[in-house]
Amino acid sequence: MDDPVIETEGLRKVYDGTVAVEGLDLRVERGTVFGLLGPNGAGKTTTMGMLTTLTTPTAGTAAIAGTPIDDRSAVVEHIGYLPESPPLYEELTAREQLAYVAGLREADLDDRIAELLDRFDLVDAADDRIETYSKGMAQKTSLIQALMHDPDVLFLDEPTSGLDPRAARAVREVIGEIADAETTVVLSTHILSVVEELADRVGVLYDGELVADGSPAELIARVEGDGAGTLEDVFLEVTGGPDR
């Protein structure tokens, strides 16, 4: 069913005369894992910033779950955001951190927090200070923080960066489960294997423009006629060089 939860038209951002994103037209369906790829400076962070209302577009329109992004207070109820360096108060326990964020939302989320602590295997460590956590445990806490209000769209910026293989695998499994539950996931990462494993659709930004958009199989077939290539082949073809 055609059920776009993210829609943009002509989205544009200019910083001091430099175009960061140009004419972005995008439709992402509910329950989709959308992988956002591009080399450094391609516009990924700016795009995420506009869609999460942290950056105001220069031109164009966008809506999340039918709500225009210029209505910030309404949009933030529909989204969760996990930045590359998530804000956590390390002197707090995970349970205290999550209760604090719930309080900022003026919401009673105790049952939801308990459910997610169990789902992320953090119940036994929930009352330990975050400063004692491994990076993987801290990342799980940050994911709970982004998920606990049950958002329509979850934006993830490099969610497996710096994690050991076991922790990275756990985070990837959770992302798959989230999408299966009809939450849309926008995943920005430099790790092509993560996108290849998880993404239903892939968009590639280059010099601020969307230069490729489709399912991994569609993009691979477009570059390698026999469909025997990889997303790395697609990336190199449409950007003219390796991600670095």
Side-chain angles (χ1 to χ4, degrees):
M1 181 184 297
D2 185 32
D3 184 19
V5 72
I6 300 173
E7 296 183 272
T8 76
E9 184 175 348
L11 204 60
R12 188 172 195 257
K13 182 64 180 181
V14 180
Y15 292 105
D16 298 325
T18 300
V19 177
V21 174
E22 179 66 87
L24 181 64
D25 295 330
L26 194 62
R27 288 168 63 90
V28 180
E29 308 302 318
R30 189 174 300 276
T32 297
V33 177
F34 182 78
L36 188 62
L37 297 175
N40 290 337
K44 301 190 304 296
T45 297
T46 299
T47 297
M48 295 272 276
M50 288 189 288
L51 294 178
T52 57
T53 77
L54 297 175
T55 300
T56 302
T58 303
T61 61
I64 305 293
T67 302
I69 58 172
D70 55 6
D71 188 353
R72 185 179 189 280
S73 60
V75 169
V76 296
E77 295 302 316
H78 291 290
I79 65 173
Y81 178 43
L82 178 65
E84 186 172 1
S85 299
L88 294 173
Y89 293 103
E90 294 190 343
E91 68 274 18
L92 299 180
T93 68
R95 198 184 306 277
E96 289 169 340
Q97 169 78 28
L98 298 170
Y100 168 72
V101 174
L104 293 177
R105 289 186 171 275
E106 299 182 348
D108 181 1
L109 296 172
D110 288 351
D111 290 345
R112 175 68 169 162
I113 289 170
E115 171 196 337
L116 290 169
L117 285 170
D118 181 60
R119 180 177 176 185
F120 283 65
D121 197 25
L122 283 176
V123 173
D124 291 342
D127 296 308
D128 296 338
R129 292 193 180 197
I130 294 170
E131 64 188 3
T132 69
Y133 278 15
S134 67
K135 185 170 177 62
M137 292 169 70
Q139 192 76 324
K140 287 181 180 181
T141 303
S142 300
L143 267 171
I144 294 173
Q145 185 170 278
L147 277 171
M148 62 186 184
H149 62 296
D150 199 20
D152 292 298
V153 185
L154 179 64
F155 292 91
L156 303 176
D157 192 0
E158 300 289 355
T160 61
S161 177
L163 298 184
D164 63 59
R166 184 186 298 273
R169 165 56 61 184
V171 169
R172 292 199 302 273
E173 288 175 352
V174 168
I175 293 170
E177 291 172 9
I178 291 166
D180 287 344
E182 293 300 297
T183 298
T184 300
V185 178
V186 178
L187 171 64
S188 176
T189 181
H190 285 78
I191 304 174
L192 293 174
S193 61
V194 172
V195 175
E196 203 153 27
E197 175 184 348
L198 295 172
D200 303 300
R201 273 182 61 201
V202 177
V204 183
L205 287 171
Y206 186 62
D207 283 346
E209 297 186 14
L210 189 67
V211 294
D213 180 15
S215 72
E218 288 170 345
L219 296 183
I220 290 168
R222 193 178 306 168
V223 173
E224 300 285 339
D226 58 4
T230 66
L231 275 183
E232 182 177 6
D233 297 322
V234 174
F235 188 90
L236 294 175
E237 175 74 17
V238 299
T239 66
D243 198 0
R244 58 188 183 274

